[in-house]
Amino acid sequence: IAMANNDLVQARKFFERYLRYRPTDKSAMEQLLKLDMQGGNRDATEEHVRQLLEVDPRNALGNLVLAALQTFRKEFSLAEASLRISLESWGDPIVLNELAWLLASRGEYVESLALIKESLAFSEKSGAAWDTAGYIYLQTGNLDEAEKAIQKALELKPDDAEVILHMAMLLEKRGLYNQAERLAEGLLTRPSELTPEAYEALRELMKRLRANT
């Protein structure tokens, strides 16, 4: 009832009490982990993902969440391994997108493109997946496909900072420096919405654009 009413505090208390009596109930552990993620509680997430993976080391959700934590710590090889474990038992479009993005960020475009196509075959309503596809096409020089994908991402996530950044990068590639600069400049005041790597990419983009305008 608490979850249906979006009462995350009461829902958390229920699962915590329940798990005192049934400490290895994987379903309850997964629900509690989802609440951690919704609440942005990293310390609780770390603890609960550890407990879940002690009970079920190949748990799909547990390994997906672990990969997110490892990525945050820049443990990219470990994150890749966790995502591949998750993917083995859970061919979920979110997992496919996360692995595709991780590989693309390391320049492994062939496999990442195959994975993101598989993710979009599950659902074409994921702005994150379209953005990943656009980024891959952008990095591999397929600007027409990049534009289609990023436009689709913007339709689904019109105010997403990273999608806007990728559109600015595309406009730069097209030689539309003024348009690119207008888009990119608005992101300089939104650093909390970008990863450190993306914000650094934004700063480098602005340097190039200002040199061309």
Side-chain angles (χ1 to χ4, degrees), residues 87-105:
L87 194 59
E88 286 176 8
S89 56
W90 194 27
D92 185 89
I94 294 174
V95 183
L96 288 162
N97 177 60
E98 292 296 324
L99 183 54
W101 176 258
L102 178 62
L103 294 175
S105 69

Side-chain angles (χ1 to χ4, degrees), residues 116-206:
I116 205 59
K117 285 181 176 179
E118 189 177 347
S119 178
L120 287 167
F122 275 100
S123 172
E124 295 189 349
K125 298 296 184 183
S126 170
W130 281 112
D131 182 49
T132 299
Y135 177 81
I136 295 167
Y137 286 126
L138 183 62
Q139 295 303 312
T140 54
N142 192 337
L143 300 188
D144 290 340
E145 289 301 321
E147 184 168 1
K148 291 176 188 175
I150 296 171
Q151 286 284 12
K152 187 68 175 179
L154 280 172
E155 290 172 16
L156 295 163
K157 303 175 70 175
D159 196 44
D160 186 278
E162 292 217 14
V163 180
I164 294 169
L165 173 59
H166 295 153
M167 178 55 80
M169 290 176 169
L170 173 64
L171 292 171
E172 180 200 24
K173 294 282 190 182
R174 295 283 199 194
L176 302 172
Y177 302 122
N178 289 327
Q179 292 180 43
E181 186 175 0
R182 282 197 297 272
L183 266 188
E185 195 166 33
L187 298 176
L188 291 171
T189 58
R190 300 168 63 182
S192 64
E193 299 174 52
L194 295 164
T195 64
E197 294 80 10
Y199 194 72
E200 182 58 31
L202 170 64
R203 287 167 56 86
E204 291 300 318
L205 173 63
M206 287 300 300

Side-chain angles (χ1 to χ4, degrees), residues 19 39 45 49 67 89 115 128:
L19 284 165
T45 301
V49 79
S89 56
L115 288 166

